[in-house]
Amino acid sequence: APSCNLSLTTLTASDMSLNPLVAFNRQVDTFSIDAIAPSVVQLTRFDFSSNSLVLFFDEPVNSSTVNLSRAFFSEFVRDSVFAIPLTGSRVDTNVSLSQNLTIYLSNNVSTSIKLTRSVCLRHSSCWLNVQSSFVADAVGNSLKAFNSLYPAAFVDDSVSPLFLEFSLDVSQSLLRLTFDEPVDTTYSLGNVGLVSFSSVV
């Protein structure tokens, strides 16, 4: 490998008579390329408030090789009713090679999780399933093993829903409210009221 040289200085070692090593710089004689696939060590953190998660690998992985369709959330390790892929989410590529991989969930993924009312409702029901070819290391070795992981740190959703707009159809007696996330419709609408404003000339 032309780009793999070994350099030793006189401070590297000495013989039994304390004579220093003769410094040298030379190309390695035998070079074997990395052929070991990376493995997921841990789902370090799942933060439902910021819609983000962090994965930790046993070696640096290339963030530009991530295939989000090869990972999905479920409520159990196996025999799950729901499987919500991370397709459409965003990978943090500010650091191209790192053992930590940060993923920001898309609004569609976040909404799908919330609408199931079972996936990631709590720590024990939040499993991320990572399949082969999800990501590759620096030299292109793809993840091979299937991994089911639950987060070492789980941050529950603590962000209040935001009201966006409403529409009123008087002919059908229909009031439609729009929020930025799914809301629990079992709550009473007793605190909802319409106020009429008129201008006086």
Side-chain angles (χ1 to χ4, degrees):
S3 62
C4 190
N5 293 344
L6 177 65
S7 297
L8 298 178
T9 70
T10 55
L11 299 177
T12 303
S14 60
D15 64 16
M16 301 305 292
S17 299
L18 300 182
N19 298 304
L21 178 78
V22 177
F24 77 95
N25 183 310
R26 61 180 293 180
Q27 184 177 321
V28 296
D29 298 316
T30 303
F31 179 81
S32 299
I33 195 169
D34 175 17
I36 301 175
S39 297
V40 186
V41 175
Q42 186 179 60
L43 173 54
T44 308
R45 181 182 179 89
F46 176 75
D47 190 331
F48 219 166
S49 289
S50 64
N51 286 327
S52 64
L53 59 96
V54 179
L55 287 165
F56 180 72
F57 295 83
D58 64 344
E59 65 169 301
V61 293
N62 188 342
S63 60
S64 66
T65 66
V66 175
N67 181 354
L68 291 173
S69 67
R70 303 294 295 168
F72 63 92
F73 278 108
S74 63
E75 74 275 35
F76 301 113
V77 179
R78 56 179 64 87
D79 300 327
S80 295
V81 175
F82 300 101
I84 303 173
L86 272 60
T87 307
S89 300
R90 180 175 63 86
V91 178
D92 185 354
T93 56
N94 288 327
V95 180
S96 59
L97 287 173
S98 175
Q99 286 184 265
N100 291 295
L101 182 68
T102 302
I103 300 171
Y104 297 96
L105 302 182
S106 69
N107 186 61
N108 286 341
V109 172
S110 175
T111 298
S112 296
I113 291 174
K114 292 175 181 178
L115 287 175
T116 66
R117 302 176 73 92
S118 61
V119 176
C120 293
L121 187 65
R122 59 186 63 85
H123 197 165
S124 60
S125 66
C126 194
W127 288 88
L128 179 66
N129 304 278
V130 181
Q131 299 173 298
S132 60
S133 301
F134 169 71
V135 70
D137 63 14
V139 295
N141 297 310
S142 293
L143 183 77
K144 289 185 173 18
F146 180 93
N147 298 269
S148 294
L149 312 122
Y150 68 93
F154 180 86
V155 180
D156 202 355
D157 179 13
S158 61
V159 180
S160 299
L162 179 65
F163 173 69
L164 299 178
E165 61 182 7
F166 78 95
S167 63
L168 176 64
D169 188 333
V170 178
S171 63
Q172 297 188 38
S173 301
L174 178 63
L175 173 64
R176 185 183 300 275
L177 307 176
T178 303
F179 299 86
D180 68 336
E181 64 172 301
V183 295
D184 189 344
T185 56
T186 61
Y187 276 88
S188 169
L189 295 179
N191 292 325
V192 177
L194 293 175
V195 179
S196 175
F197 293 93
S198 61
S199 58
V200 178
V201 179

